[in-house]
Amino acid sequence: MAIDCEDQELLEGFLAETTELLEKLDDDLITLEKSPDDSELMNRIFRSIHTVKGASSFLGFDFLVKVTHKTEDVLNRLRKVELSLNSEIMDVVLEAVDLVKTLVADIKDGEIVERDIETVISKLIPYLSEGAGEASVLSPAASATRKEPAPAPAAEAPVTQEAALKEAAEALEEAAAAAQEPAAAKEEPAKAAPPPQPKAAAASKEPPKQPAAAKGDELADNTTVRVDVKRLDDLMNQVGELVLERNRMIQLHSDFQAGLDISGFTDDFGKLSKRLNFVTSELQMQVLKMRMLPVEKVFKKFPRIVRNLARDLGKEVDLQVFGEETELDRSVVDEIGDPLIHLIRNALDHGLETPDERLAAGKGRVGTVVLSAAHEGNQIVISIKDDGRGIDPERVSKKALDKGLVTEDQLASMGQREILELIFLPGFSTKEQTTDLSGRGVGMDVVRTNIRKLNGIIEIKNDLGHGSEFILKLPLTLAIIQSLLVEVEKEIYSIPLSSVIETLRVSTRDFHMVGGQEVLKLRDSVLPLLRLQQTFDCAHAGEDRETCYVVIVGVAEKRVGLVVSRLLGQQEVAIKSLGKFLANLPGIGGSTIMGDGRVALIVDPMGLIGGGESAGVRKSA
Amino acid sequence: MQTTALKLKSEEAGGELIQLVSFNLEKEEYGINVLMVREIIRMLNITRVPNTPHYVEGVINLRGKVIPIISLRKKFDLMEAEYDKRTRIMVMEVVGEMMGFIVDEVSEVIRISDKEIQPPPPVVSGGIEQECMAGVINQAERLLVLLDLEKMFTADERRFFSTVS
């Protein structure tokens, strides 16, 4: 069924608002479960679902109204303390919220697919019946209905357990009948209103679509931006100033052409360019800020995921989230969701022990997972820390050997750190059996791939028996970087400042040859040198200088000195891709456009030093 | 005058009309379908890119977009020549990517009938790579080599990428 909403704007407003409410709702519900007495929170949840209901009824989305209405009723009883909150009720409410998300996602896609609404409603209904105290007794009945493979369109308020089962069985038959004859569904004498469209029949032929959590996630996509009006005003002001400066420039030019006040021109022009510089950098900051999203956008999915996982795994988990207000570029936000889910899953599945094991190890029953985000210079640092059993390097190396991912010789030469990094290899898993949670050895590979894509760094801190910590360091934005401009035989290259450790001015006499490799003695270490002129095959510009500059760059634990002719200074540059044709050049990461309109290439230290292979798990030392 | 003459002639010949941009390289005339050409610009400052095939001159900044520049002379193993004021960069979209090609001179846009295109002569020893020659157009007063850069680059890209990765 396509959506024929007359007012597209209204619909968009509804979608934006509902999506936001639903995202918040998930979080609130989980919090509510922890603190059921928080009446303020309870009221907020109630208001949210009520708002969704009101809006959907206004726009005529009857199916949405039905689900939200029943959910609201249950919540209302909870609010009035006619019902006491337990995890079964919460499960059902969460499921209902999931369904609402799915339905809203359908509306967003512009195509309403008939979904199995009744199953969820029928699960909510027991909690609405008079015997509030019996609610929990009735819940097995509800779950019986859930297990039925076909949707039960007519299951209405089962009063006792037997009745529920019987009803469910009947409902099954009815569903089958309905499948034969669409009209039958409408004439169903059962009190539960059938879905508004005869398509219900078509739907019941197919296996019922479970409101998948994944579907809910899609709602949170970032195709539209909500910007603080204040930020927009600031931007407008900046643009206003830019216009003023432009006018000033035109004025200056025409004055100059007219031959007026030639002597003052240089002065005026200098002032103008200073102001322009100021305005544009302000403008750049503003726009950059608009692209920033609080990491909360990703983090708020996790309480829900952790709750479900903990229950499935039979573990008790306390998830603590810090720094969710930390802002980062939306392109980064979009990419970190998946790796974080994998890391959290691993923390719960591999890291934390079961309550009994924890007690035996002398820890508290409840495991802790700490998820935190913070700014650190030009980077954002996200850490996932658990107080579980930690990673056992011996087990890791044994597994890697068993799976044929490494050879004994390779293992023997590996340090502790390198052994831990084996977990990132595709196909690696310490699980004996593949479960739907883990064991395929894909997860950490996904983490590595995504973080690499973002030019990020992964660090593992491990304390066997006391837990492990995964630290992700990501650039704040992918579009603009700080860089060091250097000159190599009259050609200009830009080196990302994030990998520059220090620069030196040295005499070429201090260079030594060790085993065919040019090195520089630097304090107490020996630094291998790379002459960019040779690497990049630059034409010799003719001047042999006694001294040259060495830029020390770091990739992972490696340090290399790049020999350049001159240092030109630090500049903020916007990264431009070189296009598909020149995408995979070794040592070149992209290009940027300089102030004079010329193109300068950006050096990729990882490509220069590490080669492709070891580049995956970079560490900042 | 020449163009109108050509146009008349091709209309006489019948068949579908196509428009070609004709350009010169080492005194030979080449043609390329006008639909491929995005713009024709004068020489700009080219930034050399290391570790690329010899015919890749480098990259330029085309109004904020960085595009690779290829020297057709080098590509076709012709003598290298100094750039002068007639040297042009033809910006084309080849396999979905913008690219610039340096040619000696761009002369005109001509219309021909697709019936006039003859298959390339069976053996061309040396010179232009056979693979990107789409045909020749033989007219009384001129001979045009019709190029298909798309072909040249799919083959080339493959070779280049395989050496890199």
Side-chain angles (χ1 to χ4, degrees):
Chain A
M1 180 174 94
I3 296 165
D4 48 341
C5 187
E6 284 168 21
D7 197 335
Q8 195 59 34
E9 224 169 275
L10 215 57
L11 182 67
E12 273 162 23
F14 163 76
L15 287 173
E17 189 190 23
T18 315
T19 310
E20 205 161 279
L21 284 172
L22 288 173
E23 268 175 31
K24 190 95 189 68
L25 204 59
D26 244 1
D27 210 22
D28 283 348
L29 283 168
I30 302 294
T31 321
L32 184 71
E33 197 176 18
K34 283 190 198 141
S35 51
D37 298 327
D38 189 342
S39 62
E40 176 50 39
L41 185 64
M42 183 72 236
N43 283 331
R44 189 161 76 216
I45 294 171
F46 185 75
R47 274 197 305 273
S48 304
I49 200 90
H50 185 78
T51 312
V52 176
K53 184 182 97 164
S56 21
S57 98
F58 178 66
L59 285 168
F61 296 122
D62 293 341
F63 44 92
L64 257 184
V65 177
K66 240 189 311 175
V67 183
T68 43
H69 181 69
K70 290 283 182 248
T71 316
E72 189 187 359
D73 285 351
V74 173
L75 287 173
N76 198 18
R77 296 200 60 179
L78 284 170
R79 193 168 64 137
K80 290 182 187 154
V81 207
E82 289 173 31
L83 218 62
S84 63
L85 188 70
N86 56 28
S87 67
E88 277 127 44
I89 299 182
M90 191 47 77
D91 280 345
V92 175
V93 172
L94 282 173
E95 204 177 318
V97 172
D98 273 346
L99 177 65
V100 173
K101 277 190 195 163
T102 317
L103 293 170
V104 174
D106 284 350
I107 295 170
K108 197 174 210 167
D109 292 344
E111 194 63 34
I112 296 176
V113 188
E114 209 55 57
R115 304 258 173 202
D116 176 21
I117 299 171
E118 304 300 332
T119 318
V120 174
I121 292 186
S122 67
K123 270 189 254 170
L124 286 169
I125 282 167
Y127 301 109
L128 296 176
S129 54
E130 282 310 308
E134 288 169 46
S136 51
V137 184
L138 281 167
S139 62
S143 59
T145 330
R146 182 189 342 184
K147 280 177 197 132
E148 297 300 339
E156 163 73 79
V159 186
T160 69
Q161 196 169 333
E162 285 167 323
L165 280 171
K166 206 171 144 220
E167 285 251 348
E170 277 172 15
L172 246 182
E173 281 169 25
E174 281 163 7
Q180 310 276 312
E181 212 176 290
K186 279 200 165 173
E187 291 160 15
E188 211 52 67
K191 274 167 244 159
Q197 287 296 311
K199 253 198 172 173
S204 53
K205 273 182 204 161
E206 296 157 11
K209 292 185 187 104
Q210 284 299 326
K215 192 75 186 172
D217 290 347
E218 280 168 25
L219 272 180
D221 72 341
N222 294 328
T223 46
T224 52
V225 196
R226 287 189 142 214
V227 181
D228 191 346
V229 179
K230 199 182 161 308
R231 282 188 178 179
L232 206 58
D233 286 347
D234 287 350
L235 189 70
M236 197 56 224
N237 281 337
Q238 298 295 340
V239 172
E241 274 186 51
L242 195 64
V243 170
L244 285 180
E245 297 306 330
R246 183 201 59 190
N247 293 348
R248 178 82 197 112
M249 195 182 219
I250 294 171
Q251 182 64 42
L252 209 62
H253 182 237
S254 62
D255 282 0
F256 182 66
Q257 272 186 327
L260 295 167
D261 192 23
I262 303 276
S263 54
F265 177 76
T266 352
D267 227 23
D268 285 349
F269 193 73
K271 276 185 206 153
L272 175 68
S273 55
K274 262 188 209 129
R275 278 200 304 270
L276 258 180
N277 178 26
F278 179 73
V279 175
T280 41
S281 45
E282 279 287 303
L283 202 61
Q284 187 191 338
M285 281 301 294
Q286 297 287 350
V287 175
L288 219 65
K289 264 193 206 154
M290 276 196 199
R291 286 185 55 90
M292 298 294 237
L293 284 178
V295 75
E296 186 190 3
K297 190 116 186 149
V298 185
F299 278 14
K300 70 178 160 199
K301 287 193 283 203
F302 295 138
R304 176 81 193 273
I305 292 172
V306 167
R307 175 186 185 269
N308 287 358
L309 270 178
R311 204 188 40 194
D312 292 350
L313 293 165
K315 292 179 182 174
E316 288 174 31
V317 184
D318 177 23
L319 176 73
Q320 295 170 5
V321 182
F322 297 105
E324 62 261 72
E325 71 286 344
T326 312
E327 288 192 329
L328 67 167
D329 195 90
R330 51 199 317 117
S331 51
V332 181
V333 171
D334 289 343
E335 294 288 343
I336 56 166
D338 279 351
L340 285 182
I341 286 179
H342 284 292
L343 287 175
I344 285 185
R345 237 183 229 175
N346 281 353
L348 258 69
D349 197 16
H350 300 279
L352 293 182
E353 312 92 330
T354 58
D356 296 343
E357 282 168 349
R358 288 187 68 87
L359 287 176
K363 300 181 191 173
R365 268 183 79 80
V366 182
T368 316
V369 174
V370 181
L371 179 65
S372 65
H375 281 303
E376 203 174 87
N378 255 348
Q379 288 179 318
I380 177 167
V381 180
I382 298 178
S383 128
I384 296 111
K385 186 177 178 182
D386 66 69
D387 65 346
R389 56 172 82 91
I391 308 168
D392 183 354
E394 267 175 41
R395 205 157 143 241
V396 170
S397 43
K398 193 172 160 293
K399 270 286 160 192
L401 208 58
D402 286 354
K403 301 225 172 204
L405 297 170
V406 287
T407 63
E408 294 233 22
D409 291 347
Q410 280 174 314
L411 261 186
S413 65
M414 278 183 184
Q416 187 88 348
R417 191 153 224 168
E418 281 143 321
I419 290 178
L420 285 185
E421 276 157 21
L422 290 175
I423 60 172
F424 290 105
L425 289 177
F428 182 87
S429 172
T430 50
K431 282 269 151 154
E432 305 297 330
Q433 274 181 326
T434 303
T435 63
D436 44 339
L437 267 185
S438 60
R440 282 184 203 82
V442 184
M444 290 311 273
D445 189 38
V446 169
V447 173
R448 179 168 80 156
T449 320
N450 279 29
I451 300 301
R452 187 192 287 193
K453 208 159 59 179
L454 291 171
N455 280 324
I457 292 167
I458 309 174
E459 260 181 84
I460 308 173
K461 280 190 188 159
N462 188 37
D463 185 2
L464 191 58
H466 298 96
S468 51
E469 180 174 9
F470 285 83
I471 301 168
L472 309 182
K473 294 188 176 175
L474 303 164
L476 275 186
T477 171
L478 301 177
I480 297 175
I481 57 163
Q482 284 287 342
S483 78
L484 175 72
L485 295 181
V486 298
E487 191 184 286
V488 183
E489 302 290 338
K490 303 282 174 221
E491 292 179 20
I492 296 173
Y493 289 91
S494 145
I495 305 173
L497 212 55
S498 54
S499 45
V500 174
I501 291 162
E502 61 175 306
T503 55
L504 301 166
R505 182 164 181 265
V506 289
S507 160
T508 41
R509 276 170 304 178
D510 293 342
F511 292 175
H512 301 276
M513 285 295 274
V514 175
Q517 165 75 55
E518 250 186 317
V519 296
L520 176 70
K521 241 178 72 146
L522 174 68
R523 294 184 279 271
D524 51 353
S525 64
V526 177
L527 189 76
L529 293 175
L530 204 68
R531 282 181 185 264
L532 277 190
Q533 177 202 340
Q534 281 163 14
T535 322
F536 291 155
D537 200 18
C538 305
H540 197 58
E543 42 182 326
D544 267 321
R545 262 176 277 182
E546 277 287 283
T547 54
C548 59
Y549 290 88
V550 173
V551 180
I552 303 176
V553 294
V555 170
E557 71 292 345
K558 287 185 195 156
R559 301 281 175 277
V560 168
L562 305 178
V563 182
V564 301
S565 321
R566 267 183 351 131
L567 301 180
L568 297 177
Q570 180 186 336
Q571 198 173 72
E572 208 169 42
V573 299
I575 301 177
K576 305 265 177 184
S577 117
L578 281 173
K580 214 164 53 185
F581 186 62
L582 299 176
N584 295 323
L585 293 174
I588 299 293
S591 62
T592 186
I593 294 169
M594 311 290 303
D596 60 0
R598 285 168 41 158
V599 182
L601 299 175
I602 298 174
V603 176
D604 170 26
M606 187 169 75
L608 275 183
I609 307 173
E613 284 313 301
S614 58
V617 196
R618 287 194 289 154
K619 291 178 305 278
S620 73
Chain B
M1 283 313 289
Q2 202 182 18
T3 357
T4 29
L6 270 172
K7 188 179 161 195
L8 284 176
K9 208 172 159 206
S10 52
E11 269 165 13
E12 277 161 34
E16 204 172 318
L17 269 184
I18 53 172
Q19 295 191 53
L20 300 177
V21 177
S22 80
F23 60 91
N24 292 333
L25 266 187
E26 189 74 41
K27 299 193 183 72
E28 286 297 328
E29 199 171 15
Y30 297 84
I32 205 148
N33 194 328
V34 76
L35 296 175
M36 300 268 298
V37 183
R38 280 300 152 94
E39 59 190 289
I40 295 162
I41 52 176
R42 286 168 198 276
M43 283 303 288
L44 295 170
N45 243 323
I46 298 180
T47 304
R48 198 184 62 89
V49 181
N51 307 322
T52 46
H54 72 283
Y55 54 82
V56 176
E57 285 288 286
V59 288
I60 58 159
N61 164 21
L62 182 69
R63 294 185 301 273
K65 202 171 154 41
V66 176
I67 62 168
I69 299 295
I70 282 145
S71 160
L72 273 188
R73 268 184 177 264
K74 286 187 185 166
K75 173 74 195 157
F76 293 157
D77 289 331
L78 300 173
M79 293 258 292
E80 280 181 50
E82 288 282 307
Y83 302 137
D84 57 26
K85 62 179 198 295
R86 281 173 311 180
T87 310
R88 293 288 181 274
I89 298 174
M90 296 175 74
V91 180
M92 298 189 234
E93 197 174 316
V94 184
V95 282
E97 289 279 299
M98 294 272 272
M99 259 179 218
F101 295 86
I102 302 174
V103 299
D104 288 358
E105 185 183 10
V106 175
S107 35
E108 58 181 338
V109 177
I110 56 171
R111 289 159 205 253
I112 56 148
S113 148
D114 59 358
K115 284 198 179 141
E116 280 180 88
I117 303 171
Q118 298 169 6
V123 182
V124 185
S125 57
I128 299 176
E129 290 185 38
Q130 189 91 50
E131 53 198 297
C132 54
M133 230 167 106
V136 289
I137 296 139
N138 190 358
Q139 288 175 338
E141 66 276 30
R142 68 207 300 194
L143 182 78
L144 249 102
V145 181
L146 187 63
L147 293 182
D148 184 350
L149 293 177
E150 200 116 336
K151 251 190 219 160
M152 163 169 101
F153 275 95
T154 39
D156 234 68
E157 256 181 345
R158 251 180 264 130
R159 229 178 300 148
F160 182 51
F161 287 144
S162 61
T163 56
V164 166
S165 52

